Amino acid sequence: MMIKTEKVLHLKSCRGKKVRVVREHYLRERVPCYSSLCQAGCENGGKVLPGELTHYVVPDVGVVVDYQEILEFRELQGIIFTQTACQAVQHSRRRQYNRLRNLLKDPRHDCVLYANEFQEYSYCPREKGENQEKWHTRCVYSAAVWYHNHLAGMMDIVMITEDQDAVAHYSCLNSGVYVISVQDYLRDFWTVLRAAHELYSSISQALQQKESAGSQREFTEHLPTEILEAGIKSGRYIKGTLNVNKHHKEAFIATDGLSNKNTDLSWGVLVYGVKNRNRAVHGDTVAVELLPKSEWRGKLTALVEGQEEEKSGRENESKPMPTGRVVGILQRNWRDYVVTFPPSDGTYSQSRNSQRILAVPWDRRIPKIRISTQQADSLQDHRVVVRIDSWESTSLYPNGHSVRVLGRAGELETEVQTILLENCIHVPPFSDAQLREMPINSPENPWKMDPAQVKERRDLRESHLVFSIDPLGCEDVDDTLSVRSLDGGKLLELGVHIADVTHFVKEGSLTDLEAHSRATTYYLADRRYDMLPAVLSADLCSLLGGVDRYAMSVLWELDAHSLAVNKVWYGRTIIRSSYQLHYELAQALLNGERAEVQELSNLRSEEKNAKLLELTQALEMLTHVARHLRLQRDKGGALELEGVEVRAQLDEEKNITALVPRQPLEVHETVAECMIYANHWVARKIQETFPHQALLRRHPPPRQEFFTQLVESAEARGFTIDVRTNKTLAESLDKAVDPQDPLVNRMLRMMATAAMSQALYFSTGQESQDQYYHYGLALDRYTHFTSPIRRYADIVVHRLLTAAIDLDRGLGTVKAIASNKELEELAQHINNKNRAAQQAQKLSTTLFQCLYFKERDPQTDQHCVADAVIYSIRNNGMLVFVPEYGVKGPVYLKNRDDQVVGAREDGSCEWLSGSIQQYADHITTTSSCGTSTFRLFHHITVRISVHSPLFHSDSLNLEIINIMPHLTAEPQQPCSQGRSQLVQEVMRLAEEAHKQAQEKAGQRLKRSKEEKQFGQSKTPNLYSLMEEVRELALLDLETATQVCATTA
């Protein structure tokens, strides 16, 4: 039975007028309490608070609003969030409210939502003259009392508040309901949780600092949301995401989704200067007003070091573009930031005495953050995680608080953790609860297949020769292959068999939630963080040789002559891989070279030769099929782009001993082509079965204007690039070959890569079918199916494929699949995590490149001198690429003293007084040595050194020392299998040198300290990324030194 009452709301209209709104409000006696101690028969579905705790805790509105970060500690259990508190957060802080909702939904956190405002005995109507804060506190206290009574006094209730008047008023009213401050609660109940105490202190200081802020206005006030939304609708304001450029004064607003009526906006809107940015931070969603055309500016075209500002002003700008100013913030997208506390000397001494300092963010795009702390002296030169709390119009800088200390700046582990955190990558150890969900596989209790599964699945163990091809030492083998002749040689059967991860990872389980959160495995230069626990990724889901495993298989029956597809079979199988090959071994077998196959080492000569012949024939048949598949995609316009991959070879102490380029093999491409084929056919299957609820991957065609640099650079070398379609682009790139310098074609392909748009996951119900196309692979439908161990998207696709198979079999109890909206939200989440993984990998590679050169003397060590190729001209220098190390960067021809590079007769360079002149395809310097010309694609000699700023990451510095090519630079021979060059983008930073030594000795690797502590794998799986080999577009030019797997 419900009781009708009224709820009075005092609201503001869009014009600022106060409005009194009276709404009907219904109360009921039975509202779920979500406690396992409940004796009243509440319908407690979902999460339930445990009954073995000493108390439940009920935070009031102020605590939830200001101290939610503390309530997110998993150690804090039995938290009851009231409806009153949640609604207060929803109305004031939307982003925080989303975090609170996720917290309540996450089964890993012991917290529930209590609908106190609908419960007859806990509802408190607002009294006349009562202010909102007092009313909210009374509502929360009433909810705490209701809980104590409802549970018949079996559980003490602790209400925490920062309102001292409330503590004094309510603390003695009810036995069993305690009202204390947050600080007292932490002191009395969580003494050992030091991180929570430090966070409380930091937040409290930040709140006090906010209250004492000055009154002088530094920025204009933001317009109200209602005015911004109306202005956006009318076209007066432009909505977009603020992207701050590394040139400190520049920021840009992407205008995707705007009407094309105003072609001026096709390149976005420039926001120049901190004042025009108006307290918006990189990543915020903002509303921008265009300035008069007379005030429009152009992008900076000069090379700029760090945050150094150009002295010369507008002569270093491109032609003027739409320029605006931020008039309002539609959504703050603040995250955790890593900052460095500056040394105590200099300009910060006065503020440091008052414990208020300006911390410098590691990310150059973020403004300095004012922090109040009592640890300023001890944290000098340390990396610290902070959060921004506010940025008032009266402050030049945002206010924030520290969360935790990462370590001393410059230390390897500190820098790696900084990279992870700056990219919002959170990879805590797998919890005990998650690990308890895992099957057991130990010598004492080996894992065995379920007889019911054996009966249900198609058994391929005796009928098919199954094998894997991976990098040497690979442990997480998530795909295997098979190929056989049928019907007396008239037919061929090609099989791709993928680890059946979804058998072990049930939808909605804790392991599934963690995999969903991570979305991918994160590969760094010296380690990786797995998406799934090791018992799955390296054992039961790894299709190792000689053991029985569950798989999801796709089998094609092909005409042996034309290789046309007769029929396709999808289903769950049981396989036993006969051979676990590595790439070099497989290639040697294909080449007819003598090679030792470990699985055959103990056989007699005759049997060994017979099995070796069978394996070699299978590899040859597979290569034949793969060449045909590639040819078909080539005809459709599949692109081959260029990237460079260099691995860091480490010794046992993680010191870098060399940077080693990867050599491509045809077998790389063979495996990749089979994986692409499987992904394509699975995409067809799930899209046809679920037209509006399938997870696919599309690669939109790039905007034509993005090819400008490619087209102009090619013209400077005498080549014509046709960019109308992917097919014409591919053909043009194939023809743009300079016999004297193969690097020219590689550089053009890198420019084409830079022009490409990003490949994205999407729900088929979100896009029209003509938008499904994958531009780079030249396929009408594509998805990811072949790497479920390391990608959550593949897990989703496996579940969709299983549902499609069940429908085909006529099973009436097919589990409901995600709606289009849910699937699209998931796709966006995975896209974001993939971008983060790609960026983290790039930064990690750069970190280790810097480590390689850091200990070397650039003046004497020949490793620091290398050949470089010019690929872009700027008005004070050029951008170059160093093939030997896969490094790109600027080379300055003009310094801050207005000196230019002059070349002596022998080509060696020095800084001299002179002038500089930029042209379309070259740049010249004129000095007392004469005129020196630097043209696109010319080779020069550079010296590589490391720049190590205190506040930011290390970077490589390239300095021209000779206008001639490096003497030791040898011309690179074009590879007979040009497409295999792309494999270099996919190969991971390779296995550590000490691992290779251990494997050669036949030793099984011992788990490192990090593996034991974090439950994470240290060595990248180099192959599992091979299907991405052909997903070329997905890497911007700056990722030339990294692998493209996370973007494909």
Side-chain angles (χ1 to χ4, degrees):
M1 178 179 175
M2 290 191 292
I3 302 171
K4 180 180 176 181
T5 183
E6 291 183 344
K7 193 172 186 179
V8 180
L9 302 176
H10 297 278
L11 306 176
K12 270 188 178 181
S13 69
C14 61
R15 297 184 178 180
K17 183 179 179 181
K18 291 184 179 180
V19 180
R20 183 175 182 269
V21 178
V22 180
R23 291 180 180 170
E24 291 182 350
H25 189 70
Y26 292 89
L27 305 176
R28 64 208 70 177
E29 182 179 354
R30 301 181 69 83
V31 170
C33 66
Y34 300 109
S35 171
S36 59
L37 294 176
C38 179
Q39 303 294 314
C42 290
E43 297 180 4
N44 294 324
K47 281 200 297 184
V48 176
L49 298 179
E52 61 272 14
L53 302 178
T54 60
H55 66 279
Y56 290 160
V57 59
V58 183
D60 83 344
V61 172
V63 173
V64 178
V65 169
D66 292 331
Y67 295 95
Q68 182 178 324
E69 297 168 53
I70 295 175
L71 302 176
E72 291 172 354
F73 278 80
R74 291 189 188 178
E75 291 83 352
L76 272 62
Q77 297 177 302
I79 301 176
I80 300 168
F81 290 98
T82 60
Q83 179 186 358
T84 301
C86 290
Q87 287 178 345
V89 174
Q90 181 183 14
H91 294 152
S92 60
R93 303 186 181 185
R94 185 173 300 178
R95 186 171 175 80
Q96 182 179 339
Y97 176 67
N98 290 334
R99 279 177 53 192
L100 181 56
R101 288 179 58 198
N102 291 333
L103 185 70
L104 288 164
K105 288 189 290 186
D106 193 337
R108 297 169 294 183
H109 290 270
D110 258 336
C111 59
V112 296
L113 171 63
Y114 168 53
N116 64 301
E117 297 198 8
F118 291 114
Q119 214 292 326
E120 179 182 356
Y121 302 113
S122 65
Y123 173 68
C124 297
R126 188 171 180 176
E127 297 177 353
K128 188 173 183 179
E130 185 178 29
N131 67 41
Q132 183 167 275
E133 290 75 18
K134 296 294 183 183
W135 176 43
H136 282 167
T137 302
R138 189 162 58 87
C139 290
V140 174
Y141 178 74
S142 177
V145 171
W146 179 89
Y147 252 96
H148 183 261
N149 295 334
H150 179 75
L151 300 178
M154 291 187 292
M155 180 66 67
D156 288 338
I157 308 296
V158 178
M159 173 180 164
I160 53 177
T161 178
E162 287 295 271
D163 185 344
Q164 294 303 316
D165 291 340
V167 173
H169 179 68
Y170 292 113
S171 57
C172 300
L173 291 185
N174 284 277
S175 175
V177 180
Y178 305 92
V179 183
I180 60 177
S181 68
V182 178
Q183 186 174 23
D184 289 343
Y185 176 70
L186 294 175
R187 183 194 62 203
D188 296 341
F189 292 91
W190 299 100
T191 307
V192 297
L193 197 57
R194 298 308 310 163
H197 288 267
E198 292 170 2
L199 184 55
Y200 172 80
S201 175
S202 178
I203 295 174
S204 298
Q205 291 170 14
L207 292 172
Q208 293 171 10
Q209 176 179 298
K210 182 178 178 180
E211 291 174 1
S212 61
S215 58
Q216 182 178 348
R217 183 165 296 171
E218 302 290 348
F219 296 95
T220 58
E221 293 290 348
H222 294 145
L223 296 177
T225 303
E226 300 84 5
I227 296 177
L228 294 177
E229 291 175 348
I232 292 169
K233 189 174 182 179
S234 68
R236 178 178 179 182
Y237 304 135
I238 299 165
K239 176 183 176 181
T241 300
L242 185 79
N243 294 295
V244 179
N245 193 276
K246 63 181 178 180
H247 303 298
H248 183 57
K249 288 184 178 180
E250 284 188 342
F252 299 91
I253 306 295
T255 57
D256 291 346
L258 282 183
S259 168
N260 292 325
K261 293 178 182 178
N262 191 343
T263 55
D264 286 339
L265 301 179
S266 60
W267 287 90
V269 178
L270 171 66
V271 179
Y272 189 85
V274 175
K275 289 292 185 182
N276 283 333
R277 219 179 291 167
N278 195 7
R279 296 171 285 147
V281 176
H282 175 77
D284 286 349
T285 303
V286 300
V288 173
E289 180 180 44
L290 289 180
L291 298 174
K293 281 198 173 185
S294 59
E295 298 180 34
W296 287 10
R297 304 188 60 139
K299 297 181 182 179
L300 289 176
T301 58
L303 300 171
V304 178
E305 298 183 66
Q307 287 184 298
E308 294 292 336
E309 301 296 346
E310 284 299 307
K311 300 177 291 183
S312 49
R314 298 202 176 196
E315 61 266 25
N316 287 320
E317 296 179 1
S318 64
K319 67 178 184 179
M321 63 178 293
T323 307
R325 64 184 184 93
V326 173
V327 294
I329 310 291
L330 296 167
Q331 181 175 331
R332 288 290 192 187
N333 287 312
W334 293 341
R335 55 174 175 82
D336 288 0
Y337 301 101
V338 177
V339 302
T340 306
F341 280 24
S344 58
D345 57 347
T347 58
Y348 298 104
S349 58
Q350 183 176 356
S351 57
R352 182 174 292 278
N353 291 336
S354 62
Q355 302 299 311
R356 295 176 65 181
I357 64 170
L358 282 176
V360 183
W362 184 86
D363 187 340
R364 295 178 185 272
R365 300 168 299 183
I366 307 302
K368 294 176 182 177
I369 302 172
R370 183 177 285 110
I371 304 291
S372 289
T373 179
Q374 297 177 355
Q375 306 177 60
D377 293 328
S378 62
L379 293 181
Q380 288 180 35
D381 307 333
H382 279 67
R383 304 275 197 229
V384 180
V385 182
V386 304
R387 289 174 185 153
I388 296 177
D389 297 313
S390 62
W391 194 349
E392 306 300 329
S393 61
T394 55
S395 175
L396 284 172
Y397 302 101
N399 296 318
H401 66 273
S402 58
V403 177
R404 59 190 172 97
V405 180
L406 291 181
R408 186 172 294 278
E411 294 180 354
L412 176 60
E413 196 59 32
T414 300
E415 298 306 310
V416 170
Q417 294 306 314
T418 295
I419 289 171
L420 292 175
L421 197 138
E422 279 291 325
N423 287 282
C424 301
I425 296 173
H426 305 287
V427 280
F430 292 107
S431 68
D432 291 339
Q434 290 162 352
L435 296 177
R436 282 196 295 270
E437 294 180 343
M438 296 295 97
I440 297 173
N441 189 28
S442 64
E444 301 78 24
N445 189 11
W447 175 80
K448 296 178 181 178
M449 289 193 297
D450 183 351
Q453 287 291 321
V454 175
K455 184 178 180 180
E456 181 74 18
R457 293 169 179 264
R458 181 174 174 180
D459 195 337
L460 307 182
R461 287 176 291 182
E462 302 298 329
S463 58
H464 289 65
L465 177 66
V466 177
F467 53 89
S468 62
I469 308 175
D470 291 284
L472 181 64
C474 177
E475 290 186 351
D476 57 341
V477 182
D478 51 11
D479 59 84
T480 54
L481 297 160
S482 67
V483 61
R484 62 176 182 163
S485 180
L486 300 174
D487 195 17
K490 295 179 181 178
L491 301 174
L492 291 180
E493 183 191 69
L494 171 66
V496 172
H497 316 281
I498 307 301
D500 190 358
V501 173
T502 55
H503 171 78
F504 298 98
V505 181
K506 303 302 182 184
E507 189 169 1
S509 65
L510 295 177
T511 306
D512 182 55
L513 291 171
E514 183 66 29
H516 173 282
S517 175
R518 300 188 183 202
T520 183
T521 289
Y522 298 97
Y523 295 86
L524 303 184
D526 65 331
R527 70 191 74 182
R528 81 176 186 199
Y529 293 93
D530 294 317
M531 185 181 76
L532 297 173
V535 68
L536 295 183
S537 61
D539 192 1
L540 296 182
C541 288
S542 185
L543 307 180
L544 304 172
V547 294
D548 296 339
R549 289 290 183 259
Y550 296 144
M552 287 284 287
S553 299
V554 184
L555 298 169
W556 297 267
E557 184 184 283
L558 309 173
D559 182 275
H561 176 68
S562 65
L563 296 182
V565 177
N566 291 338
K567 61 181 179 182
V568 188
W569 182 88
Y570 307 87
R572 284 182 145 156
T573 57
I574 298 172
I575 65 167
R576 182 187 300 136
S577 177
S578 299
Y579 302 99
Q580 195 171 339
L581 308 176
H582 58 83
Y583 287 123
E584 292 75 14
L585 173 58
Q587 190 65 56
L589 292 173
L590 283 168
N591 295 342
E593 302 169 6
R594 289 183 60 84
E596 184 64 32
V597 180
Q598 184 178 358
E599 290 85 351
L600 303 179
S601 57
N602 296 327
L603 299 181
R604 292 174 311 191
S605 178
E606 184 177 338
E607 185 180 3
K608 179 179 180 179
N609 290 336
K611 286 188 174 293
L612 190 61
L613 177 62
E614 179 189 33
L615 174 61
T616 304
Q617 289 175 342
L619 289 171
E620 290 172 347
M621 199 182 306
L622 193 69
T623 303
H624 171 64
V625 173
R627 287 173 179 168
H628 171 78
L629 297 178
R630 174 65 206 200
L631 181 62
Q632 296 305 305
R633 290 197 305 107
D634 281 345
K635 290 179 179 178
L639 287 170
E640 169 202 349
L641 299 190
E642 179 58 51
V644 176
E645 187 273 332
V646 178
R647 70 178 175 90
Q649 182 173 298
L650 312 177
D651 60 20
E652 293 186 1
E653 284 74 40
K654 289 192 179 179
N655 297 316
I656 300 178
T657 58
L659 294 178
V660 184
R662 275 286 176 180
Q663 296 302 319
L665 302 171
E666 185 183 11
V667 70
H668 291 144
E669 199 176 313
T670 297
V671 176
E673 208 58 56
C674 293
M675 298 301 113
I676 292 171
Y677 200 53
N679 287 333
H680 169 58
W681 278 89
V682 169
R684 291 178 56 170
K685 178 66 176 177
I686 62 175
Q687 187 270 328
E688 289 167 0
T689 307
F690 306 111
H692 305 294
Q693 296 159 279
L695 183 69
L696 299 190
R697 187 161 176 82
R698 66 190 183 97
H699 178 209
R703 289 166 58 170
Q704 294 295 300
E705 56 264 33
F706 289 171
F707 286 119
T708 301
Q709 182 189 1
L710 169 65
V711 172
E712 293 178 351
S713 298
E715 286 179 353
R717 199 71 173 187
F719 301 118
T720 300
I721 303 295
D722 187 343
V723 298
R724 289 175 298 171
T725 67
N726 52 353
K727 184 174 178 63
T728 60
L729 175 60
E731 292 172 348
S732 299
L733 289 172
D734 287 341
K735 295 175 183 177
V737 176
D738 185 341
Q740 304 303 316
D741 188 0
L743 272 174
V744 171
N745 188 262
R746 290 180 60 190
M747 298 303 297
L748 291 174
R749 293 184 185 276
M750 288 176 67
M751 293 177 192
T753 302
M756 293 296 156
S757 53
Q758 189 83 14
L760 300 168
Y761 296 107
F762 70 101
S763 171
T764 49
Q766 199 69 19
E767 301 286 345
S768 58
Q769 194 157 347
D770 61 340
Q771 296 299 311
Y772 296 178
Y773 188 69
H774 196 293
Y775 179 86
L777 297 177
L779 294 171
D780 61 343
R781 282 161 289 184
Y782 192 70
T783 193
H784 274 161
F785 160 76
T786 54
S787 293
I789 289 178
R790 67 177 187 87
R791 286 187 310 226
Y792 193 73
D794 300 55
I795 290 180
V796 176
V797 169
H798 274 234
R799 289 173 179 153
L800 286 167
L801 180 59
T802 301
I805 294 169
D806 289 345
L807 283 174
D808 288 346
R809 293 169 59 191
L811 298 180
T813 56
V814 176
K815 186 174 180 179
I817 60 174
S819 67
N820 171 52
K821 181 180 179 182
E822 293 169 335
L823 198 59
E824 184 61 23
E825 290 176 355
L826 174 60
Q828 293 304 320
H829 167 72
I830 297 175
N831 289 333
N832 292 335
K833 289 297 183 180
N834 279 352
R835 279 190 286 267
Q838 176 186 350
Q839 182 66 8
Q841 188 181 38
K842 170 190 169 183
L843 293 170
S844 173
T845 301
T846 302
L847 171 64
F848 274 78
Q849 286 175 331
C850 290
L851 289 174
Y852 176 73
F853 290 105
K854 199 168 188 176
E855 302 304 321
R856 303 178 184 275
D857 184 351
Q859 300 300 324
T860 60
D861 195 323
Q862 285 304 304
H863 288 92
C864 297
V865 178
D867 189 64
V869 185
I870 302 169
Y871 71 85
S872 184
I873 302 295
R874 301 297 172 87
N875 60 7
N876 62 339
M878 54 226 181
L879 297 175
V880 302
F881 172 62
V882 182
E884 183 177 357
Y885 298 119
V887 168
K888 299 186 299 69
V891 170
Y892 294 88
L893 298 180
K894 182 180 180 181
N895 62 19
R896 296 190 187 98
D897 298 325
D898 287 334
Q899 293 178 312
V900 300
V901 169
R904 305 185 186 95
E905 290 185 5
D906 62 355
S908 60
C909 299
E910 61 179 327
W911 291 104
L912 300 167
S913 298
S915 60
I916 190 168
Q917 182 65 47
Q918 178 189 9
Y919 299 91
D921 63 341
H922 67 280
I923 187 171
T924 62
T925 62
T926 303
S927 65
S928 57
C929 289
T931 298
S932 302
T933 302
F934 305 87
R935 295 187 180 277
L936 283 174
F937 304 114
H938 275 196
H939 292 243
I940 60 175
T941 302
V942 297
R943 178 181 290 122
I944 306 174
S945 59
V946 179
H947 176 55
S948 299
L950 172 62
F951 303 119
H952 311 293
S953 60
D954 289 352
S955 59
L956 294 179
N957 180 57
L958 305 180
E959 176 188 6
I960 183 171
I961 59 175
N962 200 299
I963 63 172
M964 304 297 290
H966 187 41
L967 293 178
T968 60
E970 300 177 359
Q972 299 189 10
Q973 298 300 319
C975 179
S976 59
Q977 295 293 331
R979 293 189 298 272
S980 297
Q981 293 177 3
L982 188 62
V983 173
Q984 295 176 357
E985 290 180 326
V986 171
M987 307 291 291
R988 294 292 178 182
L989 293 169
E991 313 89 36
E992 290 94 346
H994 68 282
K995 174 181 176 179
Q996 294 176 352
Q998 287 177 320
E999 287 173 343
K1000 288 179 182 178
Q1003 301 173 359
R1004 183 162 181 85
L1005 287 171
K1006 296 181 179 179
R1007 297 180 74 201
S1008 66
K1009 177 182 177 182
E1010 289 85 351
E1011 287 178 289
K1012 293 175 181 176
Q1013 180 179 0
F1014 298 110
Q1016 307 291 6
S1017 170
K1018 293 282 289 181
T1019 305
N1021 164 14
L1022 305 185
Y1023 161 65
S1024 55
L1025 324 172
M1026 282 309 299
E1027 73 256 43
E1028 288 142 90
V1029 153
R1030 306 322 304 167
E1031 290 217 40
L1032 24 115
L1034 325 180
L1035 198 62
D1036 65 39
L1037 189 56
E1038 295 186 353
T1039 55
T1041 59
Q1042 73 167 27
V1043 191
C1044 69
T1046 53
T1047 59

